[in-house]
Amino acid sequence: MKAFVFPGQGAQFPGMGKALYEENPEAKALFEKANEVLGFRITDIMFDGTAEELKQTKVTQPAIFLHSVVLAKTTPNFNPDMVAGHSLGEFSALVANGTLAFEDGLKLVYQRAMAMQEACEINPSTMAAILGLPDEKVEEICASITDEIVVPANYNCPGQLVISGSNKGIEIACEKMKEAGAKRALPLPVGGAFHSPLMEPAREKLQKAIESTTFNTPSCPVYQNVSTTAVSDVDQIKSNLIAQLTAPVKWTQSVQNMVKDGATEFVECGPGKVLQGLVKKIHSEAEVSGL
């Protein structure tokens, strides 16, 4: 069985999507539609902008979503048996399996980006990658810090967990992780504490937007970050998507469940190769490739 997986923030690069735009008329039409919906020419920043310009949350999220979704929509015989997306990538996955219309997905991603940006400004906060410690140890250290907010945020693959929280909380946690034997405890260059309780203001805004958007019955199940299991029920998809902003991304567990349900081939649909690497670390026998 073939699973299509969609990357999240951090996969962007200058020039992303340009060849697709120039070589495929259908892709060009979708990119132009996106410029119209967003009210600014995001394609100019994607194709000719600097890495710095691409790093702004309000640009990064719709740019990665667009690259992923346009690839999926212009691939002949695109017919996944299951889909999943890492954080932001979950929105791309939901357009790819027909749950969300292209324009609705794009609008939600842009609203999500703006809401997250605002939440970051309300509570200055950050994230850090912890390498070489068992998940249980990372969870235990996070739980031991009670006067600051620090939580596990991204279960990327065994031995690689990203934590999220207040600046002070992350600083304390990184020290404790190193003392416990982590190979690295590395603060990340992100705008805020994504997938933590500090994203609550963004979750409330996104909830309103999601509730007023039409969701259709998907063509195949989505393995969501929050539940990690196959979901096809529209109401369930919505509530998992709302919960996602303040809950951890359980990527390791999602991939394990996809394998358990028969996935043998994983195709990464979008910029970069991050997910191909993670899938291989989670299940070394999986076949991985990119579109």
Side-chain angles (χ1 to χ4, degrees):
M1 286 174 87
K2 195 183 271 195
F4 281 81
V5 292
F6 297 82
Q9 212 159 326
Q12 71 277 7
F13 62 90
M16 60 191 284
K18 191 174 185 177
L20 202 55
Y21 180 95
E22 288 171 351
E23 291 158 20
N24 187 313
E26 194 189 340
K28 183 176 182 175
L30 287 166
F31 276 122
E32 286 301 343
K33 186 76 187 158
N35 287 333
E36 205 180 292
V37 170
L38 293 171
F40 68 96
R41 291 194 63 79
I42 192 167
T43 49
D44 291 353
I45 307 173
M46 288 171 70
F47 304 162
D48 304 307
T50 62
E52 203 51 46
E53 287 170 309
L54 263 180
K55 226 167 63 180
Q56 306 165 66
T57 294
K58 69 169 190 175
V59 174
T60 313
Q61 296 198 24
I64 291 169
F65 167 86
L66 268 178
H67 194 170
S68 300
V69 168
V70 172
L71 261 178
K73 284 195 165 293
T74 55
T75 296
N77 310 317
F78 180 80
N79 194 15
D81 297 306
M82 50 181 88
V83 293
H86 190 288
S87 186
L88 155 75
E90 192 155 286
F91 287 82
S92 314
L94 291 171
V95 174
N97 76 354
T99 307
L100 284 169
F102 173 71
E103 286 178 48
D104 288 339
L106 178 60
K107 284 175 190 166
L108 283 178
V109 164
Y110 191 58
Q111 285 168 300
R112 178 185 193 263
M114 298 306 273
M116 286 169 81
Q117 187 81 47
E118 277 173 40
C120 295
E121 283 156 17
I122 297 165
N123 290 308
S125 51
T126 193
M127 301 174 85
I130 311 301
L131 306 182
L133 277 184
D135 291 354
E136 300 73 32
K137 189 68 192 166
V138 177
E139 289 165 350
E140 185 189 305
I141 292 171
C142 287
S144 74
I145 301 166
T146 50
D147 44 355
E148 292 286 338
I149 290 177
V150 190
V151 294
N154 296 351
Y155 291 78
N156 284 335
C157 66
Q160 186 187 324
L161 213 166
V162 175
I163 59 172
S164 194
S166 64
N167 290 338
K168 183 74 182 152
I170 292 294
E171 200 183 307
I172 297 165
C174 283
E175 280 311 308
K176 288 186 176 234
M177 301 286 177
K178 284 176 192 160
E179 283 163 21
K183 279 187 200 154
R184 293 181 85 176
L186 193 69
L188 297 174
V190 293
F194 305 148
H195 303 289
S196 84
L198 292 167
M199 283 292 120
E200 184 55 33
R203 191 195 67 79
E204 286 168 14
K205 279 192 175 160
L206 194 64
Q207 177 165 1
K208 289 193 183 85
I210 286 172
E211 281 169 355
S212 60
T213 300
T214 303
F215 279 60
N216 309 301
T217 304
S219 61
C220 69
V222 57
Y223 287 68
Q224 289 182 279
N225 296 172
V226 170
S227 65
T228 78
T229 51
V231 187
S232 294
D233 177 76
V234 172
D235 292 333
Q236 190 62 54
I237 289 173
K238 274 190 181 186
S239 62
N240 286 341
L241 204 55
I242 291 163
Q244 193 219 58
L245 269 188
T246 52
V249 172
K250 295 182 175 173
W251 188 251
T252 303
Q253 300 87 327
S254 299
V255 172
Q256 286 166 341
N257 283 331
M258 291 166 101
V259 169
K260 206 160 65 185
D261 292 348
T264 51
E265 196 182 334
F266 287 80
V267 182
E268 182 164 9
C269 189
K273 294 182 174 183
V274 173
L275 298 183
Q276 293 174 59
L278 295 182
V279 168
K280 267 296 195 198
K281 284 177 180 154
I282 296 163
H283 185 69
S284 58
E285 285 153 42
E287 262 184 68
V288 299
S289 60
L291 274 185

